[in-house]
Amino acid sequence: MTSRRAVLSAAVDLLRDAGVASPEHDAAELLAHVLGTTRSQLPLVDEVPAEALASYDDLITRRAAREPLQHLTGTAYFRHVELAVGPGVFVPRPETELLAGWAIEVAPRGGVAVDLCTGSGAVAKALADERPDLHVHAVELDEPAHRWAERNLEGTGVDLRQGDFATAFDDLLGAVDLITCNPPYIPLEAWESVAPEARDHDPHLALFSGADGLDAIRVLERRAALLLRVGGVVGFEHADVQGESAPAVFAATGRWADVRDHADLAGRARFTTARLAR
């Protein structure tokens, strides 16, 4: 038996030295996971049994090697829903909750919502959870990611399909009220600047999008114009350095009104919304 304080202190030091962005949080989260409890209940634990310590040391070593925390616990939380995640699917980020929140607020009662590039199904599941009146559809191209989405969206009523978002939902052309999308948006040349957790573990299909990072957003603009009814809205995430270039993709075509960019809680440009004018 080893004291909880000593175990956590050593783990935090190891994660900090490895460059992990949130060593205290991750060390506590992994210990709670191993002990079958929650972070808030950890102060009630005085000693860590030897068997649990061995498992914990293994997880901390893997986290220090920059394996994503959510892959180690098998779970990610997004707004009010829980998601199963692991190798082969993009781990949903907290910033994307803002895009989902916008969609939940603006979707018309009983409307048709489509989540393109759904990944784990995070946005689609949040929509179905908080707006059960909506008819929610989602699509994912990548087979491993699609399998994770199937698992996460089972029993939610979401119509999940496998396919290319550039051609998906021909049966819904001109009938959609709301589109959400978290497309790939990292320029290929930015490879070295991407955090190891994403670069080495998230599917590259979900990360990189051409020389300027805007290729998928250009495809989204064309597809959204066909799927939405006139007056329907689209919201999509982008990189913080694309606060002008991403909205410009939509503004330049003349098909959209109310093209607007939105900042995240840290004040960084995060997602764009637009309304189909014609």
Side-chain angles (χ1 to χ4, degrees):
M1 301 279 277
T2 309
S3 76
R4 169 185 52 85
R5 288 179 181 274
V7 168
L8 280 176
S9 177
V12 168
D13 288 345
L14 183 63
L15 295 183
R16 184 180 291 115
D17 290 346
V20 172
S22 50
E24 292 87 358
H25 170 276
D26 291 13
E29 193 68 36
L30 288 172
L31 184 57
H33 173 70
V34 165
L35 295 175
T37 186
T38 63
R39 271 200 344 271
S40 62
Q41 295 297 308
L42 274 182
L44 301 178
V45 176
D46 293 324
E47 305 285 334
V48 179
E51 317 84 68
L53 184 57
S55 298
Y56 184 61
D57 286 346
D58 175 62
L59 291 179
I60 288 296
T61 299
R62 291 166 63 187
R63 185 68 188 102
R66 306 302 287 274
E67 193 169 337
L69 172 69
Q70 296 86 350
H71 284 196
L72 301 176
T73 64
T75 303
Y77 298 96
F78 188 84
R79 289 183 66 88
H80 305 296
V81 300
E82 183 176 312
L83 301 157
V85 295
V89 70
F90 182 82
V91 175
R93 280 24 176 197
E95 309 90 81
T96 309
E97 294 185 10
L98 298 174
L99 171 63
W102 166 84
I104 287 161
E105 288 182 8
V106 305
R109 184 84 187 161
V112 176
V114 169
D115 185 40
L116 303 175
C117 307
T118 199
S120 66
V123 173
K125 189 170 185 178
L127 282 168
D129 176 63
E130 296 182 57
R131 289 292 306 274
D133 58 292
L134 296 176
H135 304 278
V136 183
H137 307 262
V139 66
E140 173 56 44
L141 174 62
D142 187 63
E143 285 189 20
H146 180 263
R147 288 195 293 271
W148 285 106
E150 278 186 316
R151 179 175 171 182
N152 288 318
L153 295 176
E154 184 179 2
T156 64
V158 173
D159 166 34
L160 172 65
R161 308 183 193 184
Q162 185 174 1
D164 189 337
F165 82 105
T167 56
F169 300 114
D170 274 349
D171 54 319
L172 296 177
L173 294 177
V176 176
D177 298 290
L178 167 79
I179 290 174
T180 53
C181 186
N182 186 6
Y185 50 70
I186 300 173
L188 289 171
E189 65 181 20
W191 165 268
E192 290 297 334
S193 68
V194 178
E197 286 87 345
R199 186 188 65 217
D200 300 339
H201 297 280
D202 282 333
H204 288 179
L205 188 66
L207 297 177
F208 300 99
S209 188
D212 61 0
L214 298 173
D215 282 2
I217 292 172
R218 295 185 183 98
V219 174
L220 171 65
E221 188 279 326
R222 294 191 293 270
R223 194 59 181 167
L226 294 173
L227 287 172
L228 289 171
R229 61 171 177 79
V230 174
V233 292
V234 57
F236 64 94
E237 188 170 314
H238 57 70
D240 54 6
V241 296
Q242 295 168 334
E244 294 183 1
S245 59
V249 170
F250 277 66
T253 68
R255 287 192 281 250
W256 303 90
D258 305 326
V259 179
R260 181 186 163 208
D261 206 60
H262 304 254
D264 61 20
L265 297 178
R268 296 179 295 245
R270 182 53 57 194
F271 70 97
T272 296
T273 59
R275 183 176 303 277
L276 186 65
R278 57 185 177 86

